[in-house]
Amino acid sequence: LDVERLDGGAVAGNLQAWARAGRYEAAERLAPAQARIAAAHTRCDQVETILYRLAAAPGRRALLGMDAERGRLVRPLLQTTRDETTAYCHEAGLAYRNDPSNATGVFARGRVRHGVVPALREVHPAAEDNLLRTAALLRDEADVLDAAVDAALGGRDAVPVAALAQMAPALARLAVRRLAEDATGTLCPRASGRLDEILALGDGALDVGDGARAIVRAGVLRFGRTPPLPPAPGGGSAPGARAGT
């Protein structure tokens, strides 16, 4: 997500993701221990999220969209449109707030909402419905694929490179991504695209993106976090991406 300040200056990092994480952290802190935390994401937000992820991150998970439930977080309005929730608030006399940053093209979500979605509606009036139906089908299929990865890894946090090379390429890519995400605790969509490099690595390490490092020792692959770059001479961080060796 390319991030720019509203005054046109640059901002380091993903400002909207940072703000979202701050909201969730505040909710975790304020909610009673056994309480669920409800987010008001709607069906329209789901469409925008899928389209953004499809453009920004490779892999099938881009098309799965947001989970209706994950841990304490629930999204009970994913089957309801933004217009429907707005109308309900008006009818019930409930105050609500719109994020003004979504009304502009400054952030990627605004560009998707006001540019990409209307363009898809012009291509086909059922474009959003078809996108969500596809996501639902892929979610069902994802359960089957996850079970196949579970069987291939057998609960291990490492896999012999020789065994990885014997797997069907699609299964091997999924196994690589699973290992990377289990090790880092975050999504690693780029890891699966580095399969060929991992198979050719020999004993060594390779940073595969998204904070994940593939490490091969004695022919066994496991993942860890990419260590921070050392400070550059004179302070600050060394420029450029870390390359695996």
Side-chain angles (χ1 to χ4, degrees), residues 76-153:
L77 301 178
L78 285 181
Q79 302 302 317
T80 307
T81 69
R82 190 175 297 123
D83 288 343
E84 288 169 339
T85 59
T86 301
Y88 178 84
C89 288
H90 283 302
E91 292 171 6
L94 298 175
Y96 63 91
R97 179 175 299 174
N98 284 318
D99 182 349
S101 70
N102 287 331
T104 73
V106 171
F107 296 105
R109 179 171 289 276
R111 295 195 288 274
V112 171
R113 178 175 299 181
H114 302 294
V116 178
V117 173
L120 287 175
R121 287 174 184 158
E122 290 182 5
V123 172
H124 196 288
E128 292 162 274
D129 290 336
N130 291 334
L131 185 68
L132 293 174
R133 289 193 189 101
T134 299
L137 291 172
L138 288 176
R139 279 183 175 275
D140 287 342
E141 293 169 5
D143 292 339
V144 176
L145 293 174
D146 287 340
V149 176
D150 289 341
L153 294 177

